[in-house]
Amino acid sequence: MSGRRLATSIEWRSLLPLAAGTLLLLGGVFCLWQTWQIADESSAIDRVHAAQKQAVDALAAEIATQRGGVEKVLNAVDPAQIAADPVQSAATVRQQLPHAQAVEFYSGTLDEVLHANYRTFGYGKAAQLMAAQTADGKPPAQTVPDGHGGRVLSLVLPVGPVTRPSAWAWVAMPFAPVQQRFESIDPASGRLELRQGDDRGDMRLLAKGSLSAMSEMTGVPVPGTTLNVVAAQPVAYIVLPKVWPLTALFGLLCLGGGLYLFWLRGHPRSKRVGEVEDVSLPDLIDSTPAPARPAPAPRLATPAPPPAPAPVAVDPTIFRAYDVRGVVGKSLTKEVARLLGQAIGSVMREKGLPEIVVGRDGRLSGPELAGALADGLREAGIDVIDLGAVPTPVVYYAAYRFNTGCGVAVTGSHNPPDYNGFKIVVGGETLAESAIQDLYQRIASNQLEQGGKGNLRHVDVVPDYIERITSDVQAERRLKVVVDCGNGIPGAVAPQVLEGIGCEVIPLYCDVDGTFPNHHPDPSDPHNLEDLIFAVKQTGADLGVAFDGDGDRLGVVTKDGEIIFPDRTLMLFARDVLSRQPGATIIYDVKCTGHLKGQILDAGGSPLMWRTGHSLIKAKMRETGAELAGEMSGHFFFKERWYGFDDGIYAGARLMEILSSDPEERTPEEIFATCPKGVSTPELKVDMAEGAHYRFIEKFRQVASFGDATLTTIDGVRADWPDGWGLVRPSNTTPILVLRFDADNAAALARIQALFREQLLAVDPSLKLPF
């Protein structure tokens, strides 16, 4: 037996050079292949970019050709004939454009478009026509649905003088030639995508090439259109350092070593000292009188366990003061969302909370992130109710409706399309500050529940949400209101709510489009309200309301074009609530006007100024039992007749109820005129480095001097005088200082701004102040 074992050992040792040589040869081939991959990477990217430029040029030429043909026909049409009979004129033009799928004429003022029912007219077509009035030169071409699952190339062209057209032509041309041009381009080893919009979050129309290619962040615009072509770079599977001379040297050394070992095996050397002879079993038996007791085999060390897979890198900066938010594909990925779900689920398990609702806004990244979040929650053993695409307030409502006390809204709110995030409620508490940081610490230290098997069910709660509001809130007289949803998710709900309470609704940008093609859904920025003001004036509506991207904020404009700042809207809400709840606490944030305190006192309420932040305001409401709260950003929180969470859609319904039930039947302008206003600035912002804004405020608190002003330092520094006030505070979402000033008159405002300027520059003379 011992001879057999020794022979076997000798046989295996003789095979070692063969095995080592094979491994070295394979390693050499792999290194040389990696060398080729590294050397070819940059040229492959250049080839894809060349294809991208070729596609842009081809599409631009095709669309310009189609536009030119339409312009040639329109130039021969008499504008007076169009004005007299637009339908017949359109039919005549279409006969001369045999490929056109539709031709329509509209007046130069587009009044008929503004009054149209956009559900039947088409949101995309309406937006394109209205945008044409402000376009410089030729309105850009775009694509819109054809109503049969396909798309058409839509052109808007002026009839008559470009600066003041007597009519507008809307022409739908076939999309097939554009598609054929795009598909004729070879994307090399990468991929090309035709998108509509401004950046990577846009709607993808066409794609050609490798599915594994990695898309770039931005595309190249197709001139004269809203289209862009995105290049997706080919994926090179490179695992070695990207230094081709080094990988080539490794490859050659491995090949040389492997060939040398194979040569040795074919050319045996003479026996050296210590080498074992090739001995047969009979020889061993003859030369050994008695088999020696074999030496015990050396004890092998216990092999170390394989290293754990590298953890997902989580950027701590996405864990903000009020929520978790980051850039999709960079700081925010589906892996991060899954870990966040596990962390939330771990907190819930500790609190004995078994179920949670999850909803998402209209962003293109929402389904993937919400799905990954739900997977993480279920991994932690939590049952998930998936609400689908709904406004954030609907998520909050569902947490009450299904008695979970827990909910997550996957939303980027008013941020650009490439952002997304999570607003989190656990046990009835909206997580903020230390509770948000606790989630990060759980992920970083891997203190996460796992191995659970939570259930998943899908529920449509929107009809219940609408019924709950419309059964309680009613407009006593019919108001005509323009509703601008900025292509955010409120467009799927807000018009139905306001129609349900008795308003005549004119929808503006209410089709949900995660690329936000018209303007950012942020009603706190006056520039984003320009289209709404124009639509209110053109339609003769009583009022205009705007919502942010996830529906928890409200903006208001009058038919005169005045923007009603949220602190003045809060005055109306406070009067209404206090008429039924005398003595109630009304909370407002540090950015609100100084007139608000007096208005609440006059209405018999108890005013309370508090820190900015929806999570912080809700926590203060629970602490004080307040019936109403509001922020300058447009968040309104009704506890009276509602649930105490911030809900822009519900606030819009309550506003319509108040305005329509005025006993004197005054217009909205006349009612808002009773809410005092001074001379004020919007929010002014000063960019700073990450963390520097907090350090600045700490120093400013210590050294700033404002004489006889009343100082409030719960959130930055606010100085109040009898005739006005000023504020500087650190943003809790971005590294900026936020300033606002409000006074009874321009002279007081200038005085307060000058004093703040002096104090701010005394702390940091390098500040670039926007006032």
Side-chain angles (χ1 to χ4, degrees):
M1 291 297 293
S2 61
R4 186 179 297 115
R5 283 196 297 269
L6 181 57
T8 302
S9 173
I10 293 169
E11 182 180 349
W12 276 108
R13 292 183 63 179
S14 67
L15 292 176
L16 285 177
L18 177 62
T22 302
L23 290 176
L24 285 172
L25 286 176
L26 291 175
V29 172
F30 176 76
C31 289
L32 293 179
W33 175 70
Q34 289 278 281
T35 302
W36 177 81
Q37 288 277 83
I38 295 168
D40 185 64
E41 184 179 31
S42 60
S43 61
I45 294 172
D46 291 341
R47 290 194 297 270
V48 175
H49 284 159
Q52 180 185 33
K53 184 179 184 303
Q54 184 182 359
V56 168
D57 293 342
L59 296 178
E62 173 62 33
I63 293 171
T65 299
Q66 295 203 34
R67 187 195 295 273
V70 175
E71 288 177 337
K72 183 177 180 180
V73 173
L74 289 178
N75 289 338
V77 179
D78 183 5
Q81 182 182 353
I82 295 175
D85 192 345
V87 176
Q88 181 57 47
S89 298
T92 302
V93 169
R94 186 171 181 183
Q95 289 178 353
Q96 300 175 56
L97 295 170
H99 298 297
Q101 297 186 12
V103 176
E104 299 170 4
F105 285 113
Y106 299 95
S107 66
T109 60
L110 294 178
D111 286 345
E112 62 270 59
V113 178
L114 291 169
H115 290 84
N117 182 341
Y118 293 167
R119 287 192 179 90
T120 57
F121 185 85
Y123 291 107
K125 182 167 71 174
Q128 185 181 16
L129 284 162
M130 293 176 67
Q133 292 184 314
T134 57
D136 295 330
K138 297 179 180 179
Q142 67 180 51
T143 72
V144 297
D146 62 3
H148 305 288
R151 304 192 73 82
V152 295
L153 177 71
S154 58
L155 306 172
V156 174
L157 300 100
V159 178
V162 174
T163 57
R164 194 165 184 174
S166 58
W168 292 95
W170 184 84
V171 182
M173 301 296 289
F175 185 61
V178 175
Q179 182 173 353
Q180 291 168 3
R181 283 284 196 122
F182 178 82
E183 293 179 346
S184 68
I185 307 300
D186 180 8
S189 55
R191 184 174 77 252
L192 297 178
E193 297 178 357
L194 179 62
R195 294 175 177 266
Q196 181 160 285
D198 297 328
D199 48 40
R200 190 174 184 257
D202 299 337
M203 176 174 59
R204 187 172 69 181
L205 303 176
L206 300 170
K208 183 179 181 182
S210 172
L211 294 176
S212 63
M214 301 297 291
S215 298
E216 295 178 344
M217 292 301 296
T218 57
V220 175
V222 177
T225 75
T226 62
L227 306 175
N228 63 81
V229 177
V230 175
Q233 300 178 8
V235 176
Y237 297 98
I238 300 173
V239 298
L240 297 180
K242 292 187 178 183
V243 183
W244 72 263
L246 183 61
T247 56
L249 178 61
F250 284 157
L252 293 175
L253 288 174
C254 289
L255 286 177
L259 292 173
Y260 177 69
L261 288 175
F262 273 98
W263 180 84
L264 283 180
R265 180 171 173 79
H267 298 78
R269 298 164 295 170
S270 59
K271 186 182 70 173
R272 296 182 180 180
V273 176
E275 284 188 339
V276 179
E277 296 182 7
D278 188 5
V279 186
S280 65
L281 181 59
D283 292 336
L284 289 171
I285 295 173
D286 292 341
S287 61
T288 308
R293 188 173 182 179
R299 175 172 292 180
L300 298 178
T302 304
V312 176
V314 179
D315 184 353
T317 64
I318 68 175
F319 293 81
R320 310 296 182 96
Y322 318 132
D323 52 30
V324 178
R325 185 171 3 109
V327 178
V328 176
K330 292 185 176 179
S331 57
L332 196 58
T333 64
K334 64 180 181 180
E335 290 80 10
V336 172
R338 182 185 177 93
L339 289 173
L340 180 63
Q342 279 186 265
I344 296 169
S346 300
V347 174
M348 291 177 60
R349 289 288 295 273
E350 291 177 4
K351 295 178 179 291
L353 301 167
E355 192 171 40
I356 191 169
V357 295
V358 174
R360 65 180 189 274
D361 67 13
R363 291 166 188 266
L364 303 186
S365 58
E368 180 179 62
L369 293 179
L373 178 86
D375 289 343
L377 287 162
R378 296 170 66 197
E379 175 72 12
I382 302 299
D383 294 335
V384 177
I385 301 175
D386 183 359
L387 306 175
V390 296
T392 293
V394 175
V395 176
Y396 297 154
Y397 171 78
Y400 284 91
R401 172 67 176 79
F402 299 115
N403 199 32
T404 66
C406 303
V408 179
V410 182
T411 174
S413 188
H414 60 281
N415 289 284
D418 54 342
Y419 277 79
N420 215 324
F422 308 87
K423 295 179 179 179
I424 307 160
V425 179
V426 174
E429 175 189 355
T430 303
L431 301 193
E433 298 184 321
S434 60
I436 295 284
Q437 292 303 314
D438 174 66
L439 297 177
Y440 171 71
Q441 294 300 329
R442 289 173 184 267
I443 295 173
S445 60
N446 198 31
Q447 299 297 311
L448 303 172
E449 292 281 347
Q450 52 188 326
K453 297 180 180 179
N455 296 320
L456 174 67
R457 59 190 177 110
H458 302 272
V459 176
D460 181 8
V461 75
V462 169
D464 192 78
Y465 171 83
I466 295 173
E467 171 63 23
R468 172 66 179 82
I469 296 176
T470 56
S471 64
D472 178 62
V473 181
Q474 283 296 311
E476 291 190 12
R477 59 187 174 93
R478 192 169 179 81
L479 296 175
K480 181 190 291 188
V481 55
V482 179
V483 178
D484 182 358
C485 294
N487 301 113
I489 193 63
V493 179
Q496 299 179 57
V497 168
L498 295 181
E499 285 177 348
I501 69 170
C503 293
E504 178 185 347
V505 172
I506 301 172
L508 177 65
Y509 309 143
C510 287
D511 51 325
V512 181
D513 185 340
T515 68
F516 308 130
N518 297 290
H519 62 73
H520 280 325
D522 180 4
S524 67
D525 184 345
H527 295 294
N528 295 331
L529 299 176
E530 291 174 355
D531 289 356
L532 177 60
I533 292 171
F534 177 79
V536 171
K537 290 180 177 179
Q538 290 294 315
T539 60
D542 297 296
L543 200 70
V545 295
F547 301 98
D548 69 338
D550 66 332
D552 59 8
R553 293 196 289 143
L554 172 70
V556 182
V557 303
T558 69
K559 68 191 311 179
D560 294 334
E562 180 186 9
I563 298 173
I564 305 299
F565 287 126
D567 49 5
R568 294 181 67 211
T569 305
L570 184 58
M571 294 178 189
L572 285 187
F573 289 151
R575 293 175 191 169
D576 179 62
V577 169
L578 291 169
S579 68
R580 293 179 295 274
Q581 300 287 337
T585 297
I586 311 294
I587 299 176
Y588 55 96
D589 77 327
V590 295
K591 295 187 291 184
C592 289
T593 176
H595 293 293
L596 186 54
K597 179 179 180 180
Q599 289 291 302
I600 295 171
L601 289 171
D602 289 345
S606 176
L608 176 61
M609 183 188 296
W610 193 239
R611 299 170 60 192
T612 293
H614 67 92
S615 303
L616 308 179
I617 292 286
K618 280 179 275 194
K620 198 65 174 178
M621 288 183 73
R622 288 194 302 273
E623 176 188 331
T624 61
E627 294 289 340
L628 173 69
E631 290 185 285
M632 189 61 193
S633 59
H635 288 268
F636 296 103
F637 313 76
F638 286 87
K639 183 170 178 286
E640 193 249 359
R641 296 167 57 189
W642 198 234
Y643 299 94
F645 55 75
D646 41 334
D647 188 338
I649 298 172
Y650 179 77
R654 288 287 290 262
L655 179 62
M656 296 302 114
E657 181 182 63
I658 293 169
L659 296 176
S660 66
S661 61
D662 183 67
E664 301 175 25
E665 295 191 0
R666 292 172 295 180
T667 65
E669 291 85 358
E670 292 171 332
I671 296 173
F672 279 117
T674 67
C675 302
K677 65 174 181 178
V679 181
S680 63
T681 68
E683 290 189 4
L684 306 174
K685 300 174 182 179
V686 178
D687 292 326
M688 303 191 82
E690 188 70 49
H693 57 318
Y694 291 119
R695 294 189 293 272
F696 177 91
I697 289 294
E698 283 303 315
K699 187 174 181 182
F700 188 76
R701 279 198 188 104
Q702 297 170 11
V703 303
S705 175
F706 292 100
D708 59 349
T710 301
L711 296 184
T712 304
T713 58
I714 55 174
D715 190 359
V717 176
R718 172 170 168 151
D720 279 80
W721 290 269
D723 59 351
W725 57 275
L727 167 74
V728 57
R729 61 176 292 272
S731 169
N732 286 318
T733 56
T734 52
I736 61 173
L737 295 177
V738 179
L739 302 100
R740 188 167 186 250
F741 303 96
D742 183 271
D744 293 344
N745 52 63
L749 184 71
R751 186 192 81 245
I752 295 170
Q753 286 183 310
L755 185 53
F756 263 83
R757 170 181 285 275
E758 176 187 343
Q759 297 295 314
L760 290 166
L761 294 179
V763 175
D764 185 353
S766 67
L767 285 181
K768 295 181 179 179
L769 300 177
F771 64 94

